[in-house]
PDB file of all heavy atoms in Angstrom:
ATOM      1  N   HIS A 220    -174.147  85.344  36.103  1.00  0.00           N
ATOM      2  CA  HIS A 220    -174.475  83.920  35.865  1.00  0.00           C
ATOM      3  C   HIS A 220    -176.014  83.804  35.831  1.00  0.00           C
ATOM      4  O   HIS A 220    -176.706  84.326  36.687  1.00  0.00           O
ATOM      5  CB  HIS A 220    -173.928  83.045  36.984  1.00  0.00           C
ATOM      6  CG  HIS A 220    -172.508  83.358  37.308  1.00  0.00           C
ATOM      7  ND1 HIS A 220    -171.433  82.822  36.634  1.00  0.00           N
ATOM      8  CD2 HIS A 220    -171.968  84.205  38.199  1.00  0.00           C
ATOM      9  CE1 HIS A 220    -170.298  83.298  37.118  1.00  0.00           C
ATOM     10  NE2 HIS A 220    -170.596  84.162  38.086  1.00  0.00           N
ATOM     11  N   SER A 221    -176.476  83.096  34.811  1.00  0.00           N
ATOM     12  CA  SER A 221    -177.937  82.975  34.709  1.00  0.00           C
ATOM     13  C   SER A 221    -178.304  81.553  34.311  1.00  0.00           C
ATOM     14  O   SER A 221    -177.525  80.842  33.709  1.00  0.00           O
ATOM     15  CB  SER A 221    -178.480  83.972  33.661  1.00  0.00           C
ATOM     16  OG  SER A 221    -177.828  83.752  32.418  1.00  0.00           O
ATOM     17  N   GLU A 222    -179.509  81.201  34.697  1.00  0.00           N
ATOM     18  CA  GLU A 222    -180.020  79.860  34.406  1.00  0.00           C
ATOM     19  C   GLU A 222    -181.357  80.025  33.683  1.00  0.00           C
ATOM     20  O   GLU A 222    -182.306  80.591  34.217  1.00  0.00           O
ATOM     21  CB  GLU A 222    -180.229  79.103  35.713  1.00  0.00           C
ATOM     22  CG  GLU A 222    -180.994  77.782  35.591  1.00  0.00           C
ATOM     23  CD  GLU A 222    -180.138  76.634  35.136  1.00  0.00           C
ATOM     24  OE1 GLU A 222    -179.213  76.864  34.317  1.00  0.00           O
ATOM     25  OE2 GLU A 222    -180.355  75.515  35.608  1.00  0.00           O
ATOM     26  N   ARG A 223    -181.421  79.550  32.427  1.00  0.00           N
ATOM     27  CA  ARG A 223    -182.671  79.622  31.674  1.00  0.00           C
ATOM     28  C   ARG A 223    -183.107  78.233  31.333  1.00  0.00           C
ATOM     29  O   ARG A 223    -182.313  77.406  30.914  1.00  0.00           O
ATOM     30  CB  ARG A 223    -182.443  80.372  30.347  1.00  0.00           C
ATOM     31  CG  ARG A 223    -182.119  81.820  30.493  1.00  0.00           C
ATOM     32  CD  ARG A 223    -181.880  82.451  29.137  1.00  0.00           C
ATOM     33  NE  ARG A 223    -181.320  83.767  29.289  1.00  0.00           N
ATOM     34  CZ  ARG A 223    -182.005  84.903  29.318  1.00  0.00           C
ATOM     35  NH1 ARG A 223    -183.324  84.857  29.201  1.00  0.00           N
ATOM     36  NH2 ARG A 223    -181.428  86.053  29.467  1.00  0.00           N
ATOM     37  N   PHE A 224    -184.375  77.982  31.505  1.00  0.00           N
ATOM     38  CA  PHE A 224    -184.914  76.663  31.110  1.00  0.00           C
ATOM     39  C   PHE A 224    -185.951  76.885  30.043  1.00  0.00           C
ATOM     40  O   PHE A 224    -186.837  77.721  30.153  1.00  0.00           O
ATOM     41  CB  PHE A 224    -185.573  76.000  32.282  1.00  0.00           C
ATOM     42  CG  PHE A 224    -184.699  75.125  33.083  1.00  0.00           C
ATOM     43  CD1 PHE A 224    -183.366  75.051  32.788  1.00  0.00           C
ATOM     44  CD2 PHE A 224    -185.217  74.356  34.112  1.00  0.00           C
ATOM     45  CE1 PHE A 224    -182.518  74.230  33.514  1.00  0.00           C
ATOM     46  CE2 PHE A 224    -184.363  73.539  34.835  1.00  0.00           C
ATOM     47  CZ  PHE A 224    -183.032  73.474  34.551  1.00  0.00           C
ATOM     48  N   GLY A 225    -185.873  76.101  28.988  1.00  0.00           N
ATOM     49  CA  GLY A 225    -186.930  76.055  28.018  1.00  0.00           C
ATOM     50  C   GLY A 225    -186.814  77.107  26.935  1.00  0.00           C
ATOM     51  O   GLY A 225    -186.206  78.167  27.113  1.00  0.00           O
ATOM     52  N   ALA A 226    -187.389  76.803  25.781  1.00  0.00           N
ATOM     53  CA  ALA A 226    -187.301  77.712  24.637  1.00  0.00           C
ATOM     54  C   ALA A 226    -188.004  79.044  24.942  1.00  0.00           C
ATOM     55  O   ALA A 226    -187.611  80.071  24.464  1.00  0.00           O
ATOM     56  CB  ALA A 226    -187.922  77.049  23.403  1.00  0.00           C
ATOM     57  N   ASP A 227    -189.035  79.007  25.776  1.00  0.00           N
ATOM     58  CA  ASP A 227    -189.789  80.214  26.068  1.00  0.00           C
ATOM     59  C   ASP A 227    -188.933  81.256  26.767  1.00  0.00           C
ATOM     60  O   ASP A 227    -189.201  82.454  26.698  1.00  0.00           O
ATOM     61  CB  ASP A 227    -190.999  79.919  26.959  1.00  0.00           C
ATOM     62  CG  ASP A 227    -192.030  79.101  26.220  1.00  0.00           C
ATOM     63  OD1 ASP A 227    -191.891  78.999  24.999  1.00  0.00           O
ATOM     64  OD2 ASP A 227    -192.924  78.555  26.876  1.00  0.00           O
ATOM     65  N   ALA A 228    -187.938  80.767  27.557  1.00  0.00           N
ATOM     66  CA  ALA A 228    -187.109  81.693  28.329  1.00  0.00           C
ATOM     67  C   ALA A 228    -185.987  82.278  27.455  1.00  0.00           C
ATOM     68  O   ALA A 228    -185.277  83.166  27.928  1.00  0.00           O
ATOM     69  CB  ALA A 228    -186.493  80.954  29.501  1.00  0.00           C
ATOM     70  N   LEU A 229    -185.858  81.834  26.222  1.00  0.00           N
ATOM     71  CA  LEU A 229    -184.777  82.294  25.379  1.00  0.00           C
ATOM     72  C   LEU A 229    -185.218  83.471  24.505  1.00  0.00           C
ATOM     73  O   LEU A 229    -186.380  83.595  24.170  1.00  0.00           O
ATOM     74  CB  LEU A 229    -184.301  81.139  24.491  1.00  0.00           C
ATOM     75  CG  LEU A 229    -183.690  79.962  25.219  1.00  0.00           C
ATOM     76  CD1 LEU A 229    -183.484  78.774  24.249  1.00  0.00           C
ATOM     77  CD2 LEU A 229    -182.356  80.356  25.857  1.00  0.00           C
ATOM     78  N   ALA A 230    -184.247  84.248  24.113  1.00  0.00           N
ATOM     79  CA  ALA A 230    -184.529  85.353  23.170  1.00  0.00           C
ATOM     80  C   ALA A 230    -184.993  84.756  21.843  1.00  0.00           C
ATOM     81  O   ALA A 230    -184.602  83.631  21.476  1.00  0.00           O
ATOM     82  CB  ALA A 230    -183.295  86.187  22.968  1.00  0.00           C
ATOM     83  N   PRO A 231    -185.831  85.472  21.092  1.00  0.00           N
ATOM     84  CA  PRO A 231    -186.367  84.883  19.848  1.00  0.00           C
ATOM     85  C   PRO A 231    -185.288  84.619  18.783  1.00  0.00           C
ATOM     86  O   PRO A 231    -185.427  83.730  17.973  1.00  0.00           O
ATOM     87  CB  PRO A 231    -187.371  85.955  19.356  1.00  0.00           C
ATOM     88  CG  PRO A 231    -187.054  87.190  20.098  1.00  0.00           C
ATOM     89  CD  PRO A 231    -186.410  86.760  21.397  1.00  0.00           C
ATOM     90  N   GLY A 232    -184.168  85.329  18.848  1.00  0.00           N
ATOM     91  CA  GLY A 232    -183.057  85.066  17.919  1.00  0.00           C
ATOM     92  C   GLY A 232    -183.284  85.642  16.541  1.00  0.00           C
ATOM     93  O   GLY A 232    -184.422  86.058  16.194  1.00  0.00           O
ATOM     94  N   GLU A 233    -182.206  85.736  15.786  1.00  0.00           N
ATOM     95  CA  GLU A 233    -182.265  86.296  14.411  1.00  0.00           C
ATOM     96  C   GLU A 233    -182.734  85.219  13.458  1.00  0.00           C
ATOM     97  O   GLU A 233    -182.489  84.004  13.637  1.00  0.00           O
ATOM     98  CB  GLU A 233    -180.834  86.719  13.983  1.00  0.00           C
ATOM     99  CG  GLU A 233    -180.275  87.845  14.815  1.00  0.00           C
ATOM    100  CD  GLU A 233    -181.059  89.131  14.641  1.00  0.00           C
ATOM    101  OE1 GLU A 233    -181.544  89.414  13.538  1.00  0.00           O
ATOM    102  OE2 GLU A 233    -181.266  89.828  15.671  1.00  0.00           O
ATOM    103  N   PRO A 234    -183.447  85.622  12.372  1.00  0.00           N
ATOM    104  CA  PRO A 234    -183.794  84.640  11.345  1.00  0.00           C
ATOM    105  C   PRO A 234    -182.530  84.131  10.635  1.00  0.00           C
ATOM    106  O   PRO A 234    -181.498  84.828  10.585  1.00  0.00           O
ATOM    107  CB  PRO A 234    -184.681  85.449  10.359  1.00  0.00           C
ATOM    108  CG  PRO A 234    -184.416  86.871  10.662  1.00  0.00           C
ATOM    109  CD  PRO A 234    -183.873  86.980  12.055  1.00  0.00           C
ATOM    110  N   PHE A 235    -182.596  82.918  10.119  1.00  0.00           N
ATOM    111  CA  PHE A 235    -181.467  82.372   9.334  1.00  0.00           C
ATOM    112  C   PHE A 235    -181.994  81.359   8.330  1.00  0.00           C
ATOM    113  O   PHE A 235    -183.181  80.931   8.399  1.00  0.00           O
ATOM    114  CB  PHE A 235    -180.400  81.781  10.231  1.00  0.00           C
ATOM    115  CG  PHE A 235    -180.829  80.599  11.072  1.00  0.00           C
ATOM    116  CD1 PHE A 235    -180.576  79.293  10.660  1.00  0.00           C
ATOM    117  CD2 PHE A 235    -181.511  80.787  12.282  1.00  0.00           C
ATOM    118  CE1 PHE A 235    -180.983  78.203  11.424  1.00  0.00           C
ATOM    119  CE2 PHE A 235    -181.900  79.722  13.058  1.00  0.00           C
ATOM    120  CZ  PHE A 235    -181.645  78.413  12.638  1.00  0.00           C
ATOM    121  N   THR A 236    -181.132  81.000   7.393  1.00  0.00           N
ATOM    122  CA  THR A 236    -181.506  80.011   6.381  1.00  0.00           C
ATOM    123  C   THR A 236    -180.832  78.701   6.734  1.00  0.00           C
ATOM    124  O   THR A 236    -179.628  78.649   7.029  1.00  0.00           O
ATOM    125  CB  THR A 236    -180.994  80.489   4.984  1.00  0.00           C
ATOM    126  OG1 THR A 236    -181.626  81.731   4.709  1.00  0.00           O
ATOM    127  CG2 THR A 236    -181.372  79.478   3.907  1.00  0.00           C
ATOM    128  N   VAL A 237    -181.627  77.635   6.728  1.00  0.00           N
ATOM    129  CA  VAL A 237    -181.030  76.314   7.014  1.00  0.00           C
ATOM    130  C   VAL A 237    -181.159  75.459   5.750  1.00  0.00           C
ATOM    131  O   VAL A 237    -182.188  75.428   5.083  1.00  0.00           O
ATOM    132  CB  VAL A 237    -181.711  75.655   8.226  1.00  0.00           C
ATOM    133  CG1 VAL A 237    -183.176  75.381   7.994  1.00  0.00           C
ATOM    134  CG2 VAL A 237    -180.986  74.333   8.597  1.00  0.00           C
ATOM    135  N   THR A 238    -180.046  74.809   5.419  1.00  0.00           N
ATOM    136  CA  THR A 238    -180.057  73.844   4.314  1.00  0.00           C
ATOM    137  C   THR A 238    -180.071  72.448   4.937  1.00  0.00           C
ATOM    138  O   THR A 238    -179.192  72.104   5.717  1.00  0.00           O
ATOM    139  CB  THR A 238    -178.813  74.023   3.417  1.00  0.00           C
ATOM    140  OG1 THR A 238    -178.768  75.361   2.984  1.00  0.00           O
ATOM    141  CG2 THR A 238    -178.848  73.049   2.239  1.00  0.00           C
ATOM    142  N   VAL A 239    -181.104  71.691   4.638  1.00  0.00           N
ATOM    143  CA  VAL A 239    -181.319  70.390   5.252  1.00  0.00           C
ATOM    144  C   VAL A 239    -181.065  69.290   4.243  1.00  0.00           C
ATOM    145  O   VAL A 239    -181.649  69.305   3.141  1.00  0.00           O
ATOM    146  CB  VAL A 239    -182.796  70.262   5.739  1.00  0.00           C
ATOM    147  CG1 VAL A 239    -182.922  69.033   6.616  1.00  0.00           C
ATOM    148  CG2 VAL A 239    -183.253  71.498   6.466  1.00  0.00           C
ATOM    149  N   THR A 240    -180.241  68.341   4.608  1.00  0.00           N
ATOM    150  CA  THR A 240    -180.056  67.173   3.782  1.00  0.00           C
ATOM    151  C   THR A 240    -180.784  65.999   4.433  1.00  0.00           C
ATOM    152  O   THR A 240    -180.581  65.713   5.622  1.00  0.00           O
ATOM    153  CB  THR A 240    -178.532  66.820   3.648  1.00  0.00           C
ATOM    154  OG1 THR A 240    -177.875  67.953   3.155  1.00  0.00           O
ATOM    155  CG2 THR A 240    -178.329  65.646   2.729  1.00  0.00           C
ATOM    156  N   HIS A 241    -181.679  65.385   3.675  1.00  0.00           N
ATOM    157  CA  HIS A 241    -182.497  64.294   4.242  1.00  0.00           C
ATOM    158  C   HIS A 241    -182.790  63.312   3.128  1.00  0.00           C
ATOM    159  O   HIS A 241    -183.323  63.688   2.070  1.00  0.00           O
ATOM    160  CB  HIS A 241    -183.774  64.865   4.797  1.00  0.00           C
ATOM    161  CG  HIS A 241    -184.748  63.802   5.299  1.00  0.00           C
ATOM    162  ND1 HIS A 241    -184.391  62.899   6.277  1.00  0.00           N
ATOM    163  CD2 HIS A 241    -186.004  63.526   4.947  1.00  0.00           C
ATOM    164  CE1 HIS A 241    -185.406  62.107   6.496  1.00  0.00           C
ATOM    165  NE2 HIS A 241    -186.413  62.446   5.701  1.00  0.00           N
ATOM    166  N   ALA A 242    -182.439  62.052   3.348  1.00  0.00           N
ATOM    167  CA  ALA A 242    -182.688  60.976   2.361  1.00  0.00           C
ATOM    168  C   ALA A 242    -182.160  61.349   0.979  1.00  0.00           C
ATOM    169  O   ALA A 242    -182.828  61.119  -0.036  1.00  0.00           O
ATOM    170  CB  ALA A 242    -184.198  60.653   2.325  1.00  0.00           C
ATOM    171  N   GLY A 243    -180.993  61.946   0.961  1.00  0.00           N
ATOM    172  CA  GLY A 243    -180.372  62.301  -0.326  1.00  0.00           C
ATOM    173  C   GLY A 243    -180.881  63.587  -0.953  1.00  0.00           C
ATOM    174  O   GLY A 243    -180.356  64.003  -1.979  1.00  0.00           O
ATOM    175  N   ASN A 244    -181.863  64.232  -0.342  1.00  0.00           N
ATOM    176  CA  ASN A 244    -182.380  65.503  -0.898  1.00  0.00           C
ATOM    177  C   ASN A 244    -181.898  66.665  -0.053  1.00  0.00           C
ATOM    178  O   ASN A 244    -181.697  66.567   1.129  1.00  0.00           O
ATOM    179  CB  ASN A 244    -183.923  65.498  -0.878  1.00  0.00           C
ATOM    180  CG  ASN A 244    -184.477  64.387  -1.744  1.00  0.00           C
ATOM    181  OD1 ASN A 244    -184.000  64.153  -2.852  1.00  0.00           O
ATOM    182  ND2 ASN A 244    -185.489  63.689  -1.236  1.00  0.00           N
ATOM    183  N   ARG A 245    -181.734  67.796  -0.725  1.00  0.00           N
ATOM    184  CA  ARG A 245    -181.372  69.045  -0.025  1.00  0.00           C
ATOM    185  C   ARG A 245    -182.503  70.051  -0.147  1.00  0.00           C
ATOM    186  O   ARG A 245    -183.079  70.231  -1.242  1.00  0.00           O
ATOM    187  CB  ARG A 245    -180.105  69.635  -0.652  1.00  0.00           C
ATOM    188  CG  ARG A 245    -178.828  69.038  -0.088  1.00  0.00           C
ATOM    189  CD  ARG A 245    -177.635  69.412  -0.930  1.00  0.00           C
ATOM    190  NE  ARG A 245    -177.266  70.819  -0.831  1.00  0.00           N
ATOM    191  CZ  ARG A 245    -176.441  71.302   0.086  1.00  0.00           C
ATOM    192  NH1 ARG A 245    -175.888  70.487   0.980  1.00  0.00           N
ATOM    193  NH2 ARG A 245    -176.088  72.572   0.112  1.00  0.00           N
TER     194      ARG A 245
END
Side-chain angles (χ1 to χ4, degrees):
H220 313 274
S221 56
E222 170 82 324
R223 293 178 192 266
F224 269 4
D227 292 348
L229 296 170
E233 296 296 321
F235 62 98
T236 301
V237 63
T238 304
V239 191
T240 304
H241 175 57
N244 298 317
R245 276 167 71 88

